[in-house]
Amino acid sequence: MLKFRTALRRYGCVPVASGLMCVSAAFPAYASGSGTAAGIDTMLDLFTKIAAWLWSEVGLFCTFVFGQPLLMLAFAIPFVGLIVNFFLRIFKTA
């Protein structure tokens, strides 16, 4: 905390102000619907396509894992451990 106070006294608010300006300058490019920058609709469309692709790949991976008993057991052990640990903590405090 002392180093932060010393730096703040020495440099003032220049790092904070310049960081704020850099971040705030990027927002109009994403919010505008026209111009050279892509609009928010284009960005949301891209994120939706990426999320749909990700869910389809996760579905394929889960189908493969559930089809292999040894892999299913290997992936289930940590989850069973987390559930047992959760209940142990609850009943230990009671």
Side-chain angles (χ1 to χ4, degrees):
M1 188 69 179
L2 185 61
K3 290 181 182 180
F4 178 72
R5 287 182 185 170
T6 306
L8 192 59
R9 284 188 200 130
R10 181 178 296 166
Y11 300 116
C13 293
V14 174
V16 177
S18 62
L20 184 63
M21 289 299 291
C22 290
V23 170
S24 64
F27 285 119
Y30 290 116
S32 66
S34 62
T36 59
I40 191 79
D41 295 332
T42 308
M43 187 174 67
L44 289 176
D45 185 43
L46 179 65
F47 286 161
T48 305
K49 288 178 184 176
I50 291 172
W53 172 81
L54 183 67
W55 279 115
S56 69
E57 293 298 319
V58 167
L60 290 174
F61 178 72
C62 288
T63 304
F64 172 73
V65 167
F66 290 147
Q68 309 291 326
L70 194 59
L71 282 177
M72 187 169 52
L73 180 66
F75 277 101
I77 288 173
F79 290 111
V80 171
L82 287 171
I83 292 168
V84 169
N85 188 18
F86 175 72
F87 283 114
L88 283 176
R89 284 180 183 238
I90 288 175
F91 290 120
K92 187 177 180 180
T93 59

